[in-house]
Amino acid sequence: MEAYYKEITDKIQKIAYKLLDEGKVDKIIGFGKGEFTDEVTPVFIVNKENVDKLLFSEKATPFLAKYLLNYKDEKVAITAKPCETRAINSYLSENLLQRENLIIIGINGCRGIEGNTACKECDVRNPVISDYTVGEELSDEEVSSMITNVYEDLENMNPEERNEYFQNEFERCTRCYACREACPVCYCEECFTDSNQPFWLDSSTQLKDTFTFHLMRSIHMAGRCINCGACEMACPENIDVRALSAKMYRAGEEIFDYKPGMDPEQKTLLAEYDVNDQEKGFLD
Amino acid sequence: MNNNENFEPKIVAYLCNWCSYAAADLAGSSRTQYPPNIRVIRVPCSGRIDPLLLIRAFNFGADGVLVSGCHPGDCHYLDGNYYARRRFVMLKELMTFAGIEEQRVNFTWCSASEGSRFGVVVKKVVDRVKEVGPWQGFDNKGFIGVDSSEEEGELTGGSIL
């Protein structure tokens, strides 16, 4: 293991041991070694003897933040990548979690996760909320120098080509909802797609309905999506499911200067308004 | 794109009860002429309109949608249209990015006294939709698990309506 990750891993283990030893938390949610070589899976540590199972590496693909919603009434510590701290902020802003029940071990200066294209676009590489941090912080200049727009080609296409691209992608969708389940900020009690009162769309896998599903999912995530790439990594058909919600992320930033999940007090984009909002695309 | 001379688009119009619906009424009682292509759905406020409803209209084969609410500052419920405005801006960004012609997605403000303006708006929207032709559905490229280049035309998905 690289020295950089070794150092982070050691620090996480130390903090975790201390927290469990002092009885500050009931459980630690972290990354651990999986059954196969190099695989990283979520681990839930309750005994302080087991903290050596915790680790962090560039293969830490799971998103742990969503597990917090299963332990609302327990005192939990979590090792969180910067993107996950943003998801935690949205939980806090919607009163899904109690801040006092939660200890966040943030990972500073995240260099990106293997196989996640969203990390190339990442604009927040230091935790935005944390009790403990591990690793070295990256400066703003370093962070902005690491940003590349993955979807530049797609943006430069004409609408017809883009439409064809998306049809080609969504044609493979089997409506398994892995993207929905993986998304850290997708947590409605009843999903619009499962609802039959009101009824939104057929649960078929015809292109007509899969395309509609992805459009609906993306507009639902507008102003929530933290552009973490969990949906894309979860997709068993390798569909570019992030393209639409990443567009919503960029549009929110460009038009309304809005970045989701930066502050626990922040409302989501569509839950507030400014009287002087611009009316882009309205008829005169 | 406009291959059908006699194409009469079906446009779903979501009108706010307090302004645009009354404007449509005024347009009627003052005998303003406007194209009969809109199907009006009366809603209590433009803030009532979930963007999913508009996407769903396309799923069901509408050629275009029109949303008309009260001018900013005039909302019957004080701020419903401010919320709506953000939603529609984001929806339009999404639809355009997904390659749906921007002419099909129309938003405007129309107060209860603007009967003649309502006629002008409807005419404009109908012209815009006519410009891009009939809605071919989200599946118009014929990707149904086969190479579309060979069986062009035959496998083109249709709309429900």
Side-chain angles (χ1 to χ4, degrees):
Chain A
M1 203 190 305
E2 218 186 300
Y4 166 75
Y5 292 113
K6 182 94 180 73
E7 192 196 320
I8 289 181
T9 301
D10 287 346
K11 276 196 185 155
I12 289 175
Q13 291 178 359
K14 240 175 250 168
I15 293 167
Y17 187 86
K18 203 175 114 215
L19 288 174
L20 285 169
D21 196 35
E22 290 171 4
K24 280 192 181 162
V25 293
D26 305 326
K27 191 180 264 109
I28 291 181
I29 306 176
F31 304 102
K33 196 179 170 315
E35 297 216 359
F36 307 101
T37 332
D38 285 347
E39 194 197 45
V40 173
T41 57
V43 289
F44 301 80
I45 310 277
V46 285
N47 287 325
K48 59 185 176 187
E49 289 78 35
N50 292 336
V51 293
D52 56 344
K53 290 202 171 126
L54 290 168
L55 62 80
F56 182 72
S57 80
E58 76 280 9
K59 297 212 165 52
T61 46
F63 282 78
L64 305 176
K66 210 172 182 179
Y67 290 112
L68 290 172
L69 301 176
N70 297 343
Y71 305 106
K72 282 181 187 172
D73 303 322
E74 292 177 49
K75 287 204 174 277
V76 185
I78 181 168
T79 61
K81 288 174 276 184
C83 44
E84 289 173 285
T85 59
R86 295 176 73 183
I88 292 168
N89 266 342
S90 13
Y91 301 154
L92 292 171
S93 76
E94 303 206 322
N95 292 327
L96 292 163
L97 295 175
Q98 303 295 321
R99 181 69 180 92
E100 56 272 18
N101 285 349
L102 187 64
I103 290 181
I104 303 160
I105 307 168
I107 290 156
N108 270 335
C110 177
R111 293 179 188 183
I113 301 301
E114 218 175 76
N116 188 350
T117 56
C119 292
K120 291 181 192 147
E121 293 185 347
C122 183
D123 47 8
V124 179
R125 289 176 185 270
N126 298 313
V128 287
I129 181 172
S130 60
D131 299 289
Y132 300 90
T133 51
V134 293
E136 298 255 315
E137 262 190 55
L138 285 172
S139 67
D140 288 352
E141 293 84 54
E142 282 175 299
V143 172
S144 52
S145 71
M146 289 162 94
I147 300 177
T148 46
N149 188 354
V150 178
Y151 290 114
E152 206 169 357
D153 293 348
L154 203 55
E155 289 212 322
N156 291 336
M157 283 183 190
N158 66 41
E160 212 164 309
E161 285 170 344
R162 262 203 310 266
N163 189 257
E164 190 165 337
Y165 173 79
F166 283 119
Q167 289 193 25
N168 207 356
E169 290 290 308
F170 297 143
E171 188 266 323
R172 301 199 300 278
C173 178
T174 60
R175 296 282 288 277
C176 68
Y177 305 134
C179 44
R180 177 187 80 183
E181 299 302 322
C183 179
V185 285
C186 201
Y187 42 72
C188 290
E189 299 234 323
E190 189 184 29
C191 181
F192 71 87
T193 189
D194 296 333
S195 158
N196 53 11
Q197 193 69 24
F199 174 76
W200 290 109
L201 82 162
D202 285 330
S203 52
S204 85
T205 54
Q206 285 177 47
L207 175 56
K208 169 169 99 60
D209 292 322
T210 56
F211 203 116
T212 310
F213 167 70
H214 286 284
L215 282 177
M216 286 182 168
R217 193 183 72 83
S218 308
I219 194 69
H220 230 193
M221 299 333 285
R224 261 167 211 288
C225 173
I226 50 174
N227 206 7
C228 66
C231 47
E232 195 181 13
M233 285 199 294
C235 183
E237 297 279 349
N238 276 328
I239 298 168
D240 192 0
V241 283
R242 192 171 64 87
L244 290 175
S245 38
K247 171 66 190 175
M248 293 284 85
Y249 181 85
R250 286 198 302 277
E253 199 171 355
E254 278 161 27
I255 303 173
F256 300 108
D257 194 19
Y258 179 88
K259 267 184 169 184
M262 299 305 281
D263 189 282
E265 305 292 314
Q266 184 185 27
K267 284 187 171 176
T268 58
L269 175 67
L270 302 182
E272 57 175 2
Y273 64 85
D274 183 343
V275 179
N276 301 315
D277 277 340
Q278 46 170 303
E279 300 180 356
K280 199 179 169 195
F282 276 62
L283 298 178
D284 8 283
Chain B
M1 194 93 185
N2 190 359
N3 46 14
N4 192 345
E5 283 289 306
N6 304 316
F7 166 54
E8 289 297 334
K10 289 195 177 85
I11 293 164
V12 185
Y14 296 84
L15 305 184
C16 164
N17 177 39
W18 302 103
C19 51
S20 305
Y21 194 83
D25 209 14
L26 181 62
S29 50
S30 48
R31 307 199 174 193
T32 309
Q33 291 284 324
Y34 64 85
N37 302 67
I38 60 167
R39 277 53 171 175
V40 176
I41 296 176
R42 179 163 70 155
V43 291
C45 176
S46 51
R48 163 66 180 84
I49 302 161
D50 193 323
L52 302 195
L53 287 169
L54 308 183
I55 300 174
R56 192 166 176 249
F58 286 110
N59 183 289
F60 276 67
D63 293 301
V65 295
L66 165 66
V67 174
S68 184
C70 306
H71 287 275
D74 292 350
C75 181
H76 186 76
Y77 306 101
L78 306 180
D79 56 5
N81 52 4
Y82 287 127
Y83 287 106
R85 184 164 64 176
R86 279 201 165 182
R87 272 179 229 157
F88 298 151
V89 169
M90 292 303 271
L91 180 74
K92 186 136 189 171
E93 287 289 310
L94 177 73
M95 298 299 260
T96 318
F97 189 69
I100 287 107
E101 296 89 344
E102 65 102 20
Q103 287 93 327
R104 298 190 192 279
V105 191
N106 301 286
F107 308 116
T108 193
W109 312 122
C110 219
S111 83
S113 62
E114 294 176 319
S116 57
R117 185 183 128 82
F118 183 79
V120 174
V121 164
V122 174
K123 191 162 182 318
K124 192 169 176 182
V125 170
V126 172
D127 286 346
R128 274 160 66 85
V129 177
K130 275 186 176 169
E131 195 184 305
V132 290
W135 170 242
Q136 303 288 345
F138 289 114
D139 48 0
N140 59 2
K141 295 284 186 276
F143 293 116
I144 309 184
V146 292
D147 184 2
S148 59
S149 58
E150 286 173 19
E151 314 231 2
E152 203 178 350
E154 277 182 35
L155 290 168
T156 304
S159 53
I160 285 185
L161 291 181

